[in-house]
Amino acid sequence: MNGKNMLTIASTTVLLVLLAAGAAISAQNKYTLRVPNGLAFSEFKGYEAWQAISISHNGDLIAVILGNSALIDAFKAGIPGNGKPFPDGAKMAKIHWNPKKNETAPGQPLVPSTLHDIDFMVKDSKRFADSGGWGYGEFEYDTASDTFRPGTQADQPPQGNDAKCGFACHTAVTKNDYVFTAYGKR
């Protein structure tokens, strides 16, 4: 090879490395996000591997509700039906997807399509004493940019800018320690 070809190969290699590094740097790290005055996405690192508690479908979205081991153990111990509260450290994640029909499956069931948002709850009776001991966070997902952002008042449902954004809705289930989801028989 002559010097000109080697220079071209070296320049191309450097350019490709720089492009790859730039793409990696520009990719969002969702764990740096935080609801203003509220929960951080990083408080729920590893939620993707948590056990499923339940699923839901409200006509507009499909959701799976996940719980960390503290929450699952509490459900198995009879909480909240036994009148006891969930322990501090219990965490939930609710992942919402836009639905689509599975055209190839018998009955054409609705299945998850694009990600819509992720909601989080954490029990910390000291930190969130003024919201039933629970902190809440909601993070909207943008498919086009493959990024998350904290929910706002413009979202449906509107989200406040603090860890109490879900508290008003959850007061309807005060007797269940502010948790809507039941742990179904397995």
Side-chain angles (χ1 to χ4, degrees):
M1 269 193 213
N2 65 29
K4 186 176 181 182
N5 286 343
M6 293 207 35
L7 182 59
T8 301
I9 291 171
S11 297
T12 302
T13 301
V14 168
L15 179 62
L16 290 173
V17 168
L18 290 174
L19 286 173
I25 290 169
S26 68
Q28 180 190 44
N29 179 358
K30 63 186 176 187
Y31 294 110
T32 63
L33 295 175
R34 172 181 293 279
V35 172
N37 303 312
L39 297 180
F41 210 119
S42 62
E43 294 180 61
F44 299 87
K45 199 165 197 167
Y47 72 92
E48 301 93 339
W50 292 353
Q51 184 177 335
I53 299 166
S54 186
I55 56 171
S56 68
H57 178 248
N58 69 359
D60 294 330
L61 298 172
I62 293 175
V64 62
I65 300 95
L66 309 172
N68 70 352
S69 60
L71 189 83
I72 298 298
D73 291 346
F75 272 126
K76 289 179 178 178
I79 296 172
N82 62 10
K84 294 182 180 179
F86 287 94
D88 281 359
K91 296 179 181 181
M92 297 176 78
K94 187 173 187 180
I95 305 170
H96 291 105
W97 291 275
N98 296 300
K100 68 177 181 179
K101 280 187 181 179
N102 182 340
E103 302 289 341
T104 59
Q108 298 181 337
L110 291 177
V111 296
S113 179
T114 55
L115 184 61
H116 185 273
D117 69 86
I118 301 177
D119 304 340
F120 294 119
M121 287 176 62
V122 61
K123 182 73 178 262
D124 186 330
S125 56
K126 290 182 180 113
R127 186 173 164 201
F128 305 113
D130 60 345
S131 58
W134 289 95
Y136 304 85
E138 193 264 352
F139 296 88
E140 292 284 324
Y141 179 74
D142 181 66
T143 304
S145 64
D146 189 26
T147 59
F148 287 92
R149 64 169 175 76
T152 68
Q153 291 292 337
D155 294 318
Q156 292 301 321
Q159 300 296 314
N161 284 327
D162 59 27
K164 295 181 280 187
C165 63
F167 182 59
C169 292
H170 285 255
T171 57
V173 287
T174 302
K175 65 179 177 65
N176 292 333
D177 195 20
Y178 303 93
V179 174
F180 284 106
T181 305
Y183 188 74
K185 182 147 177 71
R186 316 270 158 137

